[in-house]
Amino acid sequence: MTGFTPQRFAWAEASSRASAIEAAVTSLRQGRLVVLPTDTVYGVGADAFDPKAVARLLAAKGRGRHKPSPVLVGSKGALADLVTDLTPAAERLIDAYWPGGLTLVLRHRPSLDWDLGETGGTVAVRMPDHPLALALLAAAGPLAVSSANLTEQPSPEDCDTAFGMLGDSVAVYLDGGRTAGPVSSSIVDLTGDAPVLVREGVLSAAELRTVVPDIVTA
């Protein structure tokens, strides 16, 4: 038990949107967790630069450090502060598919004071195509976000399902209605000599090759 009652906000109620973002940002800065919709499924997020909060995220999901949390950003500019030099392939993929269902694995800056798990010096980063998620990221900055489910359970496509699994381990639930789910984002690893499609999701290998012809599959 956490000792507090989770807050829940409906994004469909325009009058409550400012309060929803304010409550979520306040909770994130206190090291607590927030559930939010993305363009794929619902995610549970923590301040990416708060190691204790990220540890709470992994614990809430029942997930080990060997599966580090991805990071969501609200803009390409925010990405530049997190990773080392972007390759031309990364630039082309970002221009073509962000915001959207593409996760890029990149080398993070060694100077960053964060602990996302056992990353090996890399970070999986994405800019989601959802107005609520983008509004929260604009206000809070980069967030460590993983699907809002218990490990080995299906990823939730609505806020009720996320609440049923995570309950009061989360401080704020942002209800944006049903998401597009359940197809995951595609993951491209750009840390080697050639782009590698690690996971084919909403973007197929054939589509990605129209932007980066030298991409290979894992």
Side-chain angles (χ1 to χ4, degrees):
M1 300 296 289
T2 59
F4 60 84
T5 301
Q7 295 177 276
R8 182 164 171 170
F9 297 88
W11 194 248
E13 299 174 6
S15 61
S16 70
R17 290 178 181 175
S19 298
I21 296 299
E22 181 179 3
V25 171
T26 297
S27 291
L28 289 165
R29 289 175 178 166
Q30 292 172 342
R32 295 178 177 177
L33 306 182
V34 171
V35 158
L36 65 150
T38 73
D39 45 341
T40 54
V41 296
Y42 271 76
V44 56
D47 183 343
F49 298 99
D50 184 338
K52 290 183 179 179
V54 175
R56 289 189 189 101
L57 187 158
L58 296 176
K61 286 175 57 69
R63 185 171 181 171
R65 286 177 50 81
H66 64 289
K67 291 185 177 181
S69 177
V71 170
L72 296 187
V73 295
S75 68
K76 181 179 176 180
L79 173 66
D81 294 331
L82 303 181
V83 303
T84 53
D85 294 340
L86 291 176
T87 64
E91 295 276 7
R92 293 198 300 273
L93 288 168
I94 289 168
D95 289 343
Y97 299 117
W98 277 18
L102 177 65
T103 297
L104 300 179
V105 179
L106 301 161
R107 295 285 177 189
H108 70 71
R109 293 187 180 277
S111 59
L112 289 181
D113 184 20
W114 65 8
D115 182 3
L116 302 172
E118 297 171 6
T119 65
T122 68
V123 60
V125 63
R126 185 166 86 89
M127 181 180 176
D129 189 12
H130 192 289
L132 195 166
L134 291 173
L136 178 59
L137 290 163
L143 298 178
V145 178
S146 184
S147 54
N149 60 301
L150 297 175
T151 298
E152 307 302 333
Q153 296 297 314
S155 299
E157 299 170 43
D158 60 80
C159 196
D160 286 340
T161 303
F163 182 84
M165 283 189 274
L166 299 180
D168 63 1
S169 65
V170 171
V172 174
Y173 286 82
L174 300 177
D175 187 349
R178 194 166 185 84
T179 66
V183 181
S184 302
S185 66
S186 296
I187 301 176
V188 175
D189 188 335
L190 293 165
T191 61
D193 294 332
V196 177
L197 180 58
V198 177
R199 181 180 74 192
E200 186 172 275
V202 295
L203 298 169
S204 68
E207 183 171 358
L208 291 166
R209 286 195 179 100
T210 65
V211 178
V212 282
D214 60 336
I215 195 169
V216 297
T217 55

